[in-house]
């Protein structure tokens, strides 16, 4: 069984596509393999299943292995690659609709070639976000996770091979819109950025503490809408600081441009 | 549902360990899962029933140890049990904490034949 979409195919439905390429068929034919899952191609046979050796032969094997160890190892490999190439990789996470893609579009415009930029877009389905980024003129690949709720280090490894980001560039990784699952999966990023918007509840940090615990920066977006909503900025910050006292905040409106200078200056100061 | 990815990793690691140990079958897998690890226990139990299909762990029993949190205050080194994800140090009021326990996501052992 395929672990992500639950279909009966052994291969993974994750697709990594550049704008202009077809990503329509559910063919599992992107060359991305997950041979570790259920392939039994390692010479392991099942003949042992029917020996019934009896309880007396039971042995306890101490494993003490981190379940996320494999992902963490791949993330470290990605991180090493980024460091060697001088690439600053940033993992952007938020609920769906907080304005991550608009923020990226405006960020790319503002950076205006001061740094090379490349983007990995993560969504369950569609090329929509990659097409929006493609129109800004920077290299982008779309990772469609199928039914998966987060990006993982293996997906980033594959996406980076396809994307081939320039040395010394900033690589934005827009994670699947989800404030829960992405927080557990390191990608090899230098910093984690959580985006919330004032049209959401100001108790988001309290509701989704794991995400805010792991983040380095919290962007509060859509500040232009603050007069029309009940969002209490100080309250949101206070909740978030209780969970993660080191969290930095940047308040901005990607749409109006207010606060964008602080964000751009923060980006330009980053070095791999 | 990141629990399905976690469950798949558990089955993957346990299968490899069982092969490495020349095990005929795996009767039990013991896991340490912290209550602060971001895992929903019910979802993980369900995901494991899906993830073991067509693997050597199809009939394996999974024992999940819930590890309750323990925090250290980074200001005064007091050890205490936090209430939820927040809280401040009961001794000095500081809120820079480190989880000593409660974030485990670990395969502890296998019981094999």
């Amino acid at each position: 069984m395929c672990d992500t979409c639950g279909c009966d195919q052994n291969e993974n439905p994750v697709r990594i596509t550049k704008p202009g390429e077809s990503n329509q068929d559910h063919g599992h034919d992107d060359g991305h393999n997950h041979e570790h899952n259920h392939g039994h191609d390692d010479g392991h046979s099942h003949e042992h299943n029917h020996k019934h050796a009896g309880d007396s032969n039971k042995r306890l094997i101490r494993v003490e292995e981190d379940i996320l160890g494999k992902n963490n190892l791949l993330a470290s490999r990605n991180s090493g690659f980024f460091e060697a190439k001088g690439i600053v990789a940033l993992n952007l996470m938020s609920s769906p609709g907080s304005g991550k893609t608009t923020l990226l579009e405006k960020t790319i415009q503002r950076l205006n070639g001061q740094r090379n930029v490349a983007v990995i877009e993560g969504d369950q389905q569609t090329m929509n976000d990659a097409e929006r980024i493609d129109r800004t003129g920077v290299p982008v690949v779309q990772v469609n996770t199928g039914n998966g709720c987060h990006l993982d280090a293996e997906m980033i490894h594959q996406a980076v091979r396809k994307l081939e980001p320039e040395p010394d560039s900033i690589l934005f990784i827009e994670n699947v819109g989800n404030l829960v699952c992405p927080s557990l999966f390191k990608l090899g990023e230098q910093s984690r950025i959580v985006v919330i918007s004032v049209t959401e509840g100001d108790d988001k940090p309290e509701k989704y503490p794991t995400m805010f615990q792991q983040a380095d920066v919290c962007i509060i977006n859509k500040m232009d809408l603050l007069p029309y909503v009940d969002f209490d900025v100080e309250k949101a910050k206070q909740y978030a600081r209780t969970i993660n006292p080191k969290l930095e905040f940047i308040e901005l409106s990607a749409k109006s441009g207010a606060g964008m200078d602080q964000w751009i200056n923060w980006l330009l100061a980053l070095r791999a | 549902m990141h629990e399905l990815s976690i469950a798949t990793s558990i089955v993957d690691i346990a299968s490899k360990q069982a092969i490495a140990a020349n095990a005929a079958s795996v009767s039990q897998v013991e896991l340490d899962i912290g209550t602060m690890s971001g895992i929903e226990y019910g979802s993980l139990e369900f995901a494991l029933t899906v993830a073991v299909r067509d693997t050597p762990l199809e009939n394996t029993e999974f024992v999940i140890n819930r590890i309750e949190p323990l925090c250290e205050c980074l200001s005064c080194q007091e050890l205490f049990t936090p209430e939820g994800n927040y809280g401040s140090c009961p001794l000095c009021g500081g809120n820079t904490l480190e989880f000593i326990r409660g974030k485990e996501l670990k395969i502890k052992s296998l019981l094999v034949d």
Side-chain angles (χ1 to χ4, degrees):
Chain A
M1 191 203 66
C2 171
D3 69 310
T4 305
C5 73
C7 76
D8 286 335
Q9 296 188 48
N10 275 339
E11 291 147 74
N12 198 288
V14 173
R15 279 193 302 278
I16 298 168
T17 320
K18 282 183 177 171
E21 295 175 350
S22 165
N23 81 331
Q24 291 310 302
D25 67 292
H26 187 72
H28 299 280
D29 59 357
D30 56 5
H32 164 61
N33 66 63
H34 273 234
E35 76 273 15
H36 52 275
N37 285 335
H38 308 291
H40 300 291
D41 53 1
D42 52 5
H44 161 63
S45 70
H46 278 250
E47 72 226 21
H48 53 269
N49 275 347
H50 308 289
K51 283 185 184 160
H52 299 291
D55 285 359
S56 57
N57 288 335
K58 283 196 192 307
R59 288 177 287 147
L60 188 75
I61 305 172
R62 293 252 159 237
V63 179
E64 303 283 344
E65 188 169 336
D66 184 351
I67 295 164
L68 288 171
K70 185 169 182 178
N71 187 73
N72 291 343
L73 196 67
L74 281 169
S76 301
R77 191 170 77 171
N78 291 344
S79 167
F81 172 81
F82 296 143
E83 203 181 318
K85 292 260 186 186
I87 295 168
V88 173
L90 304 173
N91 182 1
L92 271 82
M93 297 173 282
S94 79
S95 334
S98 66
K100 289 190 297 302
T101 314
T102 304
L103 175 64
L104 282 184
E105 288 172 316
K106 303 287 184 180
T107 301
I108 293 163
Q109 282 171 16
R110 288 230 172 197
L111 282 171
N112 194 24
Q114 291 177 81
R115 285 286 285 273
N116 283 325
V117 172
V119 179
I120 296 172
E121 282 289 342
D123 282 298
Q124 286 197 327
Q125 302 290 341
T126 85
M127 292 291 293
N128 296 354
D129 284 0
E131 281 160 6
R132 284 173 61 183
I133 298 299
D134 190 44
R135 286 194 280 275
T136 68
V138 304
V140 58
V141 292
Q142 178 80 48
V143 179
N144 286 133
T145 58
N147 283 354
C149 49
H150 58 269
L151 296 176
D152 65 28
E154 168 69 18
M155 295 176 199
I156 296 308
H157 173 64
Q158 299 287 342
V160 165
R161 285 175 67 148
K162 187 151 199 161
L163 184 63
E164 297 179 326
E166 294 283 332
D168 304 318
S169 57
I170 299 177
L171 172 64
F172 292 104
I173 302 167
E174 183 180 335
N175 218 309
V176 178
N178 179 337
L179 271 182
V180 184
C181 313
S183 66
L184 260 70
F185 294 84
K186 290 179 187 163
L187 307 177
E189 69 275 42
Q190 178 173 328
S191 293
R192 295 180 151 208
I193 297 157
V194 58
V195 182
I196 57 174
S197 59
V198 302
T199 51
E200 303 168 46
D202 48 25
D203 56 355
K204 274 279 159 77
E206 194 178 24
K207 284 178 170 169
Y208 301 96
T210 312
M211 177 61 73
F212 288 85
Q213 248 164 17
Q214 314 263 350
D216 300 297
V217 176
C218 174
I219 290 180
I220 305 178
N221 192 18
K222 305 189 189 177
M223 286 296 286
D224 54 316
L225 297 178
L226 197 59
Y228 312 104
V229 293
D230 293 329
F231 190 95
D232 184 332
V233 176
E234 283 314 310
K235 207 161 106 188
K237 285 185 178 177
Q238 194 191 326
Y239 280 137
R241 279 204 188 100
T242 321
I243 298 160
N244 179 357
K246 291 178 211 152
L247 192 63
E248 281 183 62
F249 295 90
I250 300 176
E251 297 164 29
L252 56 80
S253 163
K255 191 169 180 181
S256 77
M260 284 293 282
D261 286 345
Q262 191 192 346
W263 163 237
I264 297 293
N265 290 339
W266 184 85
L267 284 174
L268 288 172
L270 293 174
R271 287 291 172 269
Chain B
M1 262 308 273
H2 57 293
E3 283 81 1
L4 188 54
S5 307
I6 299 290
T8 308
S9 295
I10 292 169
V11 171
D12 193 34
I13 294 167
S15 302
K16 282 191 175 134
Q17 291 279 351
I19 292 162
N22 279 323
S25 66
V26 182
S27 46
Q28 196 185 76
V29 173
E30 189 181 359
L31 306 169
D32 278 353
I33 308 289
T35 58
M36 293 291 143
S37 67
I39 292 292
E40 188 56 46
Y41 291 90
S43 300
L44 179 61
E45 282 166 13
F46 171 74
L48 280 167
T49 64
V50 179
V52 295
R53 273 188 219 153
D54 303 325
T55 78
L57 276 76
E58 200 143 16
N59 299 309
T60 302
E61 179 197 8
F62 289 89
V63 176
I64 301 178
N65 302 323
R66 285 175 185 244
I67 311 293
E68 296 297 331
L70 182 71
C71 276
E72 180 181 359
C73 171
L74 296 182
S75 308
C76 75
Q77 282 70 52
E78 170 80 354
L79 295 177
F80 62 99
T81 307
E83 288 177 28
N85 281 281
Y86 322 100
S88 31
C89 171
L91 202 64
C92 76
N95 61 2
T96 318
L97 318 171
E98 191 169 283
F99 281 89
I100 305 284
R101 280 203 307 263
K103 289 196 173 266
E104 292 80 358
L105 265 180
K106 199 166 71 178
I107 300 189
K108 205 168 175 210
S109 63
L110 307 183
L111 193 59
V112 302
D113 289 310

